[in-house]
Amino acid sequence: MLTKCKISVAKSAGFCFGVDRAIKMVYNELDNRNNIVTLGPIIHNQNVVDDLKARGVYPVELDEVRNGQTVVIRSHGVGSDVYDKLKELDAEVVDATCPFVAKIHNIAREKSAAGHVILIAGDASHPEVKGIM
């Protein structure tokens, strides 16, 4: 027997602040320039990635970035070595790193420089963990 039920959507449903911000940054860049790529998929949502592809924005790996290209760093952030490589390639960098993630990067960098041992729990191959490391 079927009973009636009410389906409610939480007020906080949808993308988190950092992901929402990153997506908006990519779409805003489309108004200003061409030849935009994202360093990896901008989000773990194939519909958004496919929409961006339809507009000419493709996810690439670092070794696929061409000189002078506009590269959007996704909300997960990246390590300082990636910024260095992008600078070598004279890439126009649009840094969409979530401010909360960037704060974690700064804390890890400062504490590590001060000699503290930093323990990071997570998948070592995940972009956000790599960025913190």
Side-chain angles (χ1 to χ4, degrees):
M1 173 182 215
L2 295 175
T3 60
K4 290 184 180 182
C5 64
K6 181 179 178 183
I7 298 175
S8 300
V9 177
K11 289 179 184 177
S12 62
F15 301 132
C16 70
F17 161 77
V19 168
D20 186 57
R21 176 180 169 271
I23 292 168
K24 287 177 181 172
M25 288 176 78
V26 175
Y27 283 107
N28 286 338
E29 286 302 315
L30 282 170
D31 293 337
N32 302 320
R33 63 186 91 222
N34 296 327
N35 197 20
I36 302 169
V37 296
T38 60
L39 203 52
I42 192 68
I43 180 177
H44 301 299
N45 180 310
Q46 197 59 49
N47 291 333
V48 172
V49 173
D50 289 344
D51 182 61
L52 287 169
K53 285 180 183 177
R55 297 168 189 250
V57 179
Y58 292 89
V60 298
E61 297 302 318
L62 184 59
D63 61 354
E64 298 173 291
V65 174
R66 296 186 310 262
N67 284 356
Q69 201 163 33
T70 299
V71 179
V72 180
I73 295 175
R74 58 188 169 179
S75 60
H76 294 312
V78 294
S80 57
D81 59 323
V82 175
Y83 288 102
D84 293 342
K85 179 64 175 174
L86 291 172
K87 187 174 182 177
E88 285 176 24
L89 292 169
D90 196 32
E92 177 77 26
V93 175
V94 177
D95 194 346
T97 302
C98 171
F100 299 117
V101 172
K103 182 177 180 179
I104 293 168
H105 288 188
N106 289 333
I107 291 169
R109 183 175 22 263
E110 290 170 6
K111 296 297 182 181
S112 179
H116 293 88
V117 174
I118 309 298
L119 301 176
I120 303 168
D123 179 352
S125 65
H126 190 276
E128 192 165 351
V129 174
K130 284 182 177 180
I132 296 168
M133 291 189 309

